[in-house]
Amino acid sequence: MTFGFASSGAAGMSGYPTSAALSADSAHRLARMLEPAEWSAAGIPLLRNPREVVGALHALHRPGPATAVLAVLDPDERLRASASFSRRATATDGWVFRNALLAQLRRVIPHDLRRRTPVRTAVLLYCRDGDARWTQEDGAWMWGLRDACTLHGLRCGAYITLTQDGWQVLGEGRAGRRPSVGSRPETFSETDPPPPRTGGAASEVLRRAAAR
């Protein structure tokens, strides 16, 4: 999903962007990203059990590299809606990522804009190549997630990366080795149901998976 707009002043007489326009565009993109310290200072709510959430979303969507998994959790961290999609934008721009995330939210769950205080929380799991260190791409996704949540009436929740090193909740320091890029997700069937659990996003996903 790609979005883009060009103003009439962004190009010279040749029709190609001028160096000044390219420099301004680069500055705007840098402004539309968040670093881990900024993310931590924003008061993003902590997941009670990130390992369960990551495992459940990985089993449900089986993401590959350059795939984003967007999930909406209720106050008890039960999964209410989720969607996965591949990154198709050529530029690392939080505005573009925000639009992609907002389009997915509008597709899978009604907004909560009429509420005085957000009740549901959106979290983003992004599967990518490379190691677990923060990148500008991560910063753009974080900016996009925060803005999309505001526009849809949701609380902005955790941003989680999934790499060959495993998973990591950015800005928190919590991480695990499994699942990781290329690892096999858990499988479920009616003849071999998952062990019972009390609440949480994972238990809801596993219950639905076993019921299929």
Side-chain angles (χ1 to χ4, degrees), residues 56-133:
L57 294 178
H58 182 259
L60 186 62
H61 291 277
R62 305 191 179 194
T67 300
V69 180
L70 180 63
V72 178
L73 310 178
D74 70 10
D76 295 321
E77 287 194 2
R78 288 189 294 264
L79 184 66
R80 291 307 178 197
S82 66
S84 61
F85 60 99
S86 298
R87 172 186 167 171
R88 293 188 175 89
T90 57
T92 298
D93 190 330
W95 185 82
V96 176
F97 293 169
R98 184 278 307 274
N99 288 344
L101 293 169
L102 190 58
Q104 295 297 324
L105 287 173
R106 288 169 174 167
R107 184 175 65 85
V108 300
I109 198 164
H111 67 74
D112 279 346
L113 294 172
R114 294 184 179 87
R115 293 183 179 273
R116 291 186 177 182
T117 303
V119 174
R120 296 180 292 193
T121 303
V123 301
L124 180 62
L125 171 70
Y126 184 57
C127 181
R128 62 167 172 79
D129 294 321
D131 57 33
R133 288 176 293 184

Side-chain angles (χ1 to χ4, degrees), residues 22-32:
L22 290 173
S23 178
D25 182 60
S26 178
H28 288 319
R29 291 177 186 175
L30 288 174
R32 293 191 289 261

Side-chain angles (χ1 to χ4, degrees), residues 117-160:
T117 303
V119 174
R120 296 180 292 193
T121 303
V123 301
L124 180 62
L125 171 70
Y126 184 57
C127 181
R128 62 167 172 79
D129 294 321
D131 57 33
R133 288 176 293 184
W134 178 89
T135 66
Q136 288 189 350
E137 182 184 24
D138 294 326
W141 279 116
M142 294 157 89
W143 188 96
L145 176 63
R146 186 184 66 177
D147 216 39
C149 288
T150 299
L151 294 173
H152 207 68
L154 302 173
R155 289 200 309 169
C156 179
Y159 173 72
I160 308 161

Side-chain angles (χ1 to χ4, degrees), residues 14-68:
S14 64
Y16 293 98
T18 64
S19 58
L22 290 173
S23 178
D25 182 60
S26 178
H28 288 319
R29 291 177 186 175
L30 288 174
R32 293 191 289 261
M33 65 176 58
L34 297 172
E35 296 189 5
E38 295 176 293
W39 186 256
S40 299
I44 305 299
L46 302 179
L47 289 170
R48 289 194 295 270
N49 196 329
R51 186 182 302 275
E52 273 199 359
V53 174
V54 173
L57 294 178
H58 182 259
L60 186 62
H61 291 277
R62 305 191 179 194
T67 300

